[in-house]
């Protein structure tokens, strides 16, 4: 059974230092929550690390956003093999440190090693956000997978033919007249209206050919995040390779890992060749006429390496632009130093896309979410 390491540290000091580290990492640890954590840990004992972790998650975390931060800080704080410094033991006879009130969190007081550790962790997270996902180790990819939940996602909106009441805009003549009639013809307050808005459909086309294999996992995690963050936008996801595969249903599974496993089982052409022109033509023939792309924000994730005829690819992207509201092309090499769009596929599609953006890191995915929201 795993145990929490308390070597060279009093148990209370170790636990209190952990609450300080959590607070500095952005978790709202109050005095009451810290006291509840100490009481719960006293009941379960330090002999079972899983029980201590469960006690901390149930007493120190106020919502889903806190859980990921808690797990990262817990793993770094209590792992005896780690190289992170712990709280220094207090001198003999000194009183035990008290939890800071919530208003003191981040006030810039003396934090010693705890603050240095958290600052180092925050710096590592920021560096990871800008790393190329294809160059990450398996451990870094696992950490990055938990960070997709931090992406701020907003739905693109479209105006409808219907109107809704509003505090300004156009005069609602019918409602104004009815209000006047209710007052026996006396002047009534002018009513206003505006065009109502609805979320716009988003279509994601993900290239899963061999040249994109290093990015496929991250791109499908991004598609999963968009699918669950924009339920009203009816996000549709397809993969492009040697054939077209519809992945919307597997990605609707709530758990991201299960969704990716289901998606992997549904795609028959992972890391194969690239026939972007034929795949886009199949999408437009089957789904374009049915309205999936009509008026939608269509996002194509591909590096542009085309084994087929570039002229066919240009023709299909031009068709796509005519039916879609906006076409966004995401190239993982776009944001890298020294990149030049010299691939025949990229040169063929550039005249027919509205946005040509980078897509190699979590930071570029955050920028992409803004491009989609403003479409």
């Amino acid at each position: 059974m795993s145990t929490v390491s308390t070597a060279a540290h009093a148990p209370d000091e170790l636990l209190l230092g952990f609450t300080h580290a959590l607070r500095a990492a952005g978790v709202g640890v109050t005095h009451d929550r810290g006291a509840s954590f100490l009481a719960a840990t006293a009941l379960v004992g330090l002999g079972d690390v899983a029980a201590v972790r469960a006690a901390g998650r149930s007493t120190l975390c106020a919502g889903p956003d806190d859980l990921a931060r808690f797990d990262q800080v817990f793993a770094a704080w209590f792992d005896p093999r780690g190289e992170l410094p712990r709280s220094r033991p207090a001198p003999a006879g000194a009183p035990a440190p008290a939890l800071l009130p919530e208003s003191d969190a981040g006030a810039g007081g003396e934090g010693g090693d705890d603050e240095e550790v958290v600052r180092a962790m925050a710096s590592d997270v920021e560096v990871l956000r800008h790393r190329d996902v294809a160059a990450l180790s398996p451990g870094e990819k696992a950490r990055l997978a938990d960070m997709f939940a931090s992406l701020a996602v907003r739905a693109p909106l479209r105006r409808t033919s219907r109107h809704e009441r509003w505090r300004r805009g156009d005069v609602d003549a019918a409602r104004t007249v009815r209000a006047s009639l209710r007052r026996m013809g006396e002047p009534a307050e002018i009513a206003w209206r505006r065009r109502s808005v609805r979320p716009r459909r988003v279509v994601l086309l993900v290239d899963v050919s061999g040249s994109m294999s290093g990015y496929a996992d991250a791109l499908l995690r991004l598609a999963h995040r968009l699918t669950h963050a924009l339920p009203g936008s009816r996000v549709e996801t397809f993969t492009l390779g040697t054939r077209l595969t519809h992945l919307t249903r597997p990605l609707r599974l709530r758990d991201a890992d299960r969704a990716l496993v289901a998606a992997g089982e549904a795609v028959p052409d992972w890391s194969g060749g690239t026939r972007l022109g034929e795949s886009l033509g199949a999408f437009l023939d089957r789904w374009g006429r049915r309205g999936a792309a009509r008026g939608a924000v269509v996002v194509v994730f591909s590096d542009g390496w085309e084994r087929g005829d570039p002229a066919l690819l240009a023709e299909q992207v031009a068709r796509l632009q005519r039916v879609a509201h906006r076409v966004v092309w995401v190239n993982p090499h776009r944001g890298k130093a020294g990149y030049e769009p010299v691939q025949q596929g990229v040169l063929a599609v550039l005249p027919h896309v509205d946005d040509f953006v980078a897509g190699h890191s979590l930071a570029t995915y955050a920028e992409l979410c803004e491009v989609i929201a403003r479409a």
Side-chain angles (χ1 to χ4, degrees):
M1 180 184 299
S2 300
T3 60
V4 173
S5 175
T6 60
H9 306 289
D12 284 350
E13 183 194 1
L14 188 69
L15 298 176
L16 287 169
F18 173 61
T19 61
H20 289 307
L22 273 180
R23 185 185 296 111
V27 180
V29 179
T30 63
H31 179 84
D32 292 339
R33 291 178 189 169
S36 299
F37 171 58
L38 293 180
T41 306
L43 290 176
V44 301
L46 294 176
D48 188 348
V49 67
V52 174
R53 180 173 177 272
R57 286 168 66 94
S58 61
T59 57
L60 298 175
C61 298
D65 293 339
D66 292 341
L67 296 176
R69 297 189 185 99
F70 176 92
D71 290 341
Q72 292 177 1
V73 178
F74 186 92
W77 193 262
F78 291 113
D79 186 0
R81 297 167 299 178
E83 297 180 358
L84 294 178
R86 305 294 193 268
S87 300
R88 291 186 294 271
L99 286 171
L100 293 175
E102 188 174 17
S103 60
D104 292 340
E110 297 181 2
D113 292 341
D114 296 349
E115 292 184 0
E116 294 177 6
V117 169
V118 175
R119 281 198 297 269
M121 293 174 61
S123 177
D124 290 343
V125 169
E126 187 62 22
V127 169
L128 188 59
R129 287 185 73 254
H130 291 84
R131 290 277 304 279
D132 188 335
V133 297
L136 298 180
S137 66
E140 291 171 330
K141 288 182 178 180
R143 290 178 58 198
L144 187 70
D146 295 332
M147 295 167 61
F148 274 88
S150 66
L151 290 176
V153 180
R154 293 182 292 114
L157 301 176
R158 64 179 179 89
R159 292 186 179 273
T160 69
S161 58
R162 295 179 179 272
H163 290 80
E164 62 182 3
R165 297 182 181 184
W166 198 241
R167 59 182 177 271
R168 59 179 179 272
D170 299 327
V171 175
D172 190 339
R175 194 153 56 92
T176 302
V177 170
R178 286 196 300 268
S180 178
L181 291 175
R182 286 194 296 269
R183 297 164 60 95
M184 303 300 291
E186 294 292 331
E189 183 179 355
I190 296 178
W192 305 92
R193 68 178 187 174
R194 69 167 185 175
R195 294 272 294 276
S196 60
V197 295
R198 293 186 59 187
R200 191 180 292 277
R201 184 184 293 109
V202 178
V203 178
L204 309 176
L205 304 175
V206 183
D207 185 350
V208 293
S209 62
S211 61
M212 290 287 292
S213 59
Y215 301 95
D217 179 85
L219 294 177
L220 290 182
R221 287 189 183 276
L222 175 61
H224 181 268
R225 169 63 176 160
L226 292 171
T227 299
H228 290 271
L230 304 176
S233 295
R234 295 168 57 193
V235 178
E236 299 282 351
T237 303
F238 301 81
T239 57
L240 308 174
T242 56
R243 56 176 293 180
L244 178 75
T245 305
H246 190 200
L247 283 187
T248 300
R249 181 172 295 179
L251 291 179
R252 284 178 180 161
L253 293 174
R254 178 62 58 180
D255 182 78
D257 292 328
R258 290 181 57 194
L260 262 65
V261 170
E265 294 173 349
V267 178
D269 53 347
W270 282 108
S271 301
T274 312
R275 294 189 177 94
L276 291 176
E278 296 178 13
S279 298
L280 285 175
F283 167 74
L284 288 167
D285 292 341
R286 181 177 180 183
W287 299 92
R289 288 199 302 263
R290 292 173 57 182
R294 189 171 301 279
V297 179
V298 181
V299 185
V300 184
F301 300 89
S302 177
D303 56 2
W305 286 105
E306 170 66 302
R307 294 181 60 181
D309 184 3
L312 175 63
L313 175 60
E315 177 186 348
Q316 300 306 321
V317 177
R319 286 181 60 197
L320 180 62
Q321 188 185 42
R322 287 194 292 269
V323 299
H325 170 70
R326 197 166 189 87
V327 178
V328 182
W329 194 282
V330 182
N331 189 319
H333 308 300
R334 171 73 171 82
K336 299 179 182 178
Y339 171 76
E340 295 289 342
V342 296
Q343 298 89 349
Q344 290 186 347
V346 174
L347 294 175
V349 304
L350 280 179
H352 310 293
V353 300
D354 299 292
D355 297 284
F356 184 57
V357 300
H360 64 284
S361 65
L362 189 67
T364 59
Y365 299 153
E367 295 171 1
L368 172 64
C369 290
E370 283 298 311
V371 171
I372 294 174
R374 294 193 302 266

